[in-house]
Amino acid sequence: MDPTLIAVLDECRKRLGVRMVCNSGYRCPVYNASPSIGSSSGSYHPKHMAADVTFARRGLRDRLNILRVFVELENIGRAYGGLGLGLYPSFIHVDSRSFGFGSVEAVRPARWSTFNWPRLV
């Protein structure tokens, strides 16, 4: 795994003060291309530059806490020039596309979401 990505994830864990788990780190290209994964062809998982993370305790995996992880990673990522961040209902995708050890060109950070945002009344 990209050592800087690991440092970012460890910093996030320290700031939040709770244990985190990685649901998915490196994926071989065959598994990553599986329709059940739903990954893009440009995924950073097969490049050792991505992880899907969440709280170790299931009871913390609510929308507000997941959003807290996203915000912390956004803040930490600024110090490194940005991260790829995906916001999902129970986990966060984070990748080091803009600073990874295999990078040969500058890549802009990316954001996407399948997060079900509450409606404002």
Side-chain angles (χ1 to χ4, degrees):
M1 290 296 285
D2 182 342
T4 309
L5 178 61
I6 292 170
V8 165
L9 293 172
D10 193 44
E11 178 65 22
C12 183
R13 178 193 56 79
K14 287 176 186 175
R15 287 186 186 191
L16 293 171
V18 295
R19 290 183 340 146
M20 306 287 291
V21 294
C22 178
N23 297 334
S24 181
Y26 171 77
R27 296 181 193 151
C28 75
V30 173
Y31 180 69
N32 196 64
S34 167
S36 63
I37 297 299
S39 187
S40 72
S41 61
S43 173
Y44 286 83
H45 284 277
K47 299 173 186 175
H48 301 273
M49 296 170 64
D52 297 338
V53 297
T54 192
F55 293 98
R57 280 190 33 223
R58 287 187 186 273
L60 293 175
R61 297 179 194 172
D62 61 50
R63 292 189 303 173
L64 181 60
N65 284 329
I66 295 299
L67 193 54
R68 287 179 59 215
V69 176
F70 184 86
V71 169
E72 282 300 332
L73 286 168
E74 181 72 63
N75 290 332
I76 295 166
R78 288 186 183 130
Y80 293 94
L83 299 167
L85 292 174
L87 179 59
Y88 294 88
S90 62
F91 69 94
I92 301 293
H93 167 94
V94 58
D95 65 59
S96 56
R97 67 182 68 210
S98 60
F99 60 85
F101 64 87
S103 296
V104 293
E105 61 184 50
V107 179
R108 294 184 60 207
R111 303 291 177 272
W112 64 94
S113 173
T114 65
F115 193 75
N116 185 14
W117 295 94
R119 292 183 175 237
L120 299 176
V121 180

